[in-house]
């Protein structure tokens, strides 16, 4: 079956046609990066307006690239949560309009579930159950994926997400938005032992993360140096900071794998594009004998192909939305959509 999927949770307007949850017939992403760059981050109101301007042609192009018309589509999948509420509403309302006009079923899709589903496209053999580390701009969590639509969170960040911390570190070093990817690039030749960042622990919750202390310490490091008129090498700061974040991610993931006796590990979300995280997880997986699945780099960031993949499994489970569908800024990954 073919799903037309729509994604507008943050700063990418995206649409795709995906067949049977695994085969991408088209994948169109209109990024707003250039428009937000001068502000150093995503401006929600601008994001919503740009989604409104772009959604029609993005959806039309996704259909055309897949050599389809709406008649060939079996269901419409859309990201309804979590994300920027004004941005989500553009995709949700557009999808509702298409569903109403065409009489096709409307399938609500959770954004983080889709990030995980990007791996079903990359790895045709991947099936739950597995452990997943979800590392995106707004979320960091460890969850047991018991089935395609059954998620159990066993660790989560108590404050900032790993991506948020990466973006703040990049901004402090004067790197342009989007910070995480630029931090990754400039840190490649840096000395990752030059600076020691704190290794936060959450008392009594060994699988939970905390990145706000790391974020504050990189800001303090750079600002203190500036006040003293000292120079810091951005590559060394970046490499040391990424090392600090990756240490936390790897340590908790290792504990989660051991505690649950899982043997298959999957990474998902924008930060799973980070080169250090990917290679450190590969080394760890080899040492521990785990099977590791990493999403294709082209599917780590926000896109609608992953929404079409997860939408397929939500459809099979019977998940449907009516015209009452609303966007939600926050929603737990483990809770199914309900009207
Ligand atoms: O998953 P995503 O595209 O958006 C959300 O759904 O939140 O994640 C975006 C995050 C941003 O914080 C971005 O800086 C980070 O992923 N990111 C990276 C890299 N590429 C994207 N962080 C570190 N290294 C990268 N290569």
């Amino acid at each position: 079956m073919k799903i037309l999927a729509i994604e507008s949770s943050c700063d990418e307007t995206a649409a795709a046609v995906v067949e049977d949850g695994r085969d991408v017939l088209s994948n169109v992403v209109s990024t707003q990066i250039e428009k937000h760059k001068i502000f150093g981050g995503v401006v929600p109101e601008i994001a919503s307006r740009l989604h409104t301007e772009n959604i029609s042609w993005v959806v039309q192009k996704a259909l055309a690239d897949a050599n389809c018309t709406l008649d060939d589509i079996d269901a419409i999948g859309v990201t309804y949560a979590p994300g920027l509420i004004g941005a989500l509403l553009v995709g949700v309302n557009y999808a509702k309009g298409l569903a109403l006009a065409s009489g096709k079923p409307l399938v609500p899709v959770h954004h983080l579930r889709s990030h995980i589903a990007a791996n079903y496209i990359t790895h045709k053999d991947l099936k739950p159950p597995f452990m997943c580390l979800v590392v995106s701009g707004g979320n960091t969590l460890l969850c047991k994926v018991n089935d395609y639509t059954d998620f159990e969170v066993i660790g989560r960040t108590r404050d900032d997400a790993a991506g948020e911390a990466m973006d703040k570190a990049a901004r402090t070093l004067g790197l342009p938005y989007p910070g995480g990817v630029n931090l990754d690039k400039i840190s490649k030749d840096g000395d990752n032992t030059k600076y020691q960042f704190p290794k936060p622990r959450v008392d009594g919750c060994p699988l939970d993360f905390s990145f706000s202390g790391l974020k504050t310490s990189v800001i303090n490091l750079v600002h203190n140096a500036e006040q003293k008129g000292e120079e810091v090498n951005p590559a060394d700061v970046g490499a040391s900071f990424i090392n600090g974040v990756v240490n936390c991610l790897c340590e908790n993931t290792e504990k989660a794998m051991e505690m649950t006796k899982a043997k298959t590990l999957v990474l998902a979300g924008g930060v799973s594009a980070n080169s250090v995280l990917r290679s450190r997880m590969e080394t760890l997986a080899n040492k521990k004998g785990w099977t590791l699945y990493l999403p294709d780099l082209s599917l780590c960031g926000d896109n609608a192909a992953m929404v079409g993949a997860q939408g397929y499994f939500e459809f099979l489970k019977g998940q449907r939305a009516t015209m009452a569908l609303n966007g939600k800024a926050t929603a737990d990954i483990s809770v199914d959509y309900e009207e």
Side-chain angles (χ1 to χ4, degrees), residues 111 115 136-138 163-164 166-167 179-181 184 269-271 273-274 300-302:
H111 184 60
H115 270 302
S136 71
E164 222 170 313
M166 296 276 194
D167 290 340
V181 62
D184 194 4
V271 183
N274 183 267
C300 289
D302 290 345

Side-chain angles (χ1 to χ4, degrees), residues 9 70 82 109 114 126 152 178 182 191 219 240 284 303:
S9 65
L70 204 48
V109 184
S114 323
L126 175 63
E152 203 181 323
N182 288 318
D191 173 1
I219 294 170
S240 304
L284 191 58
N303 65 85

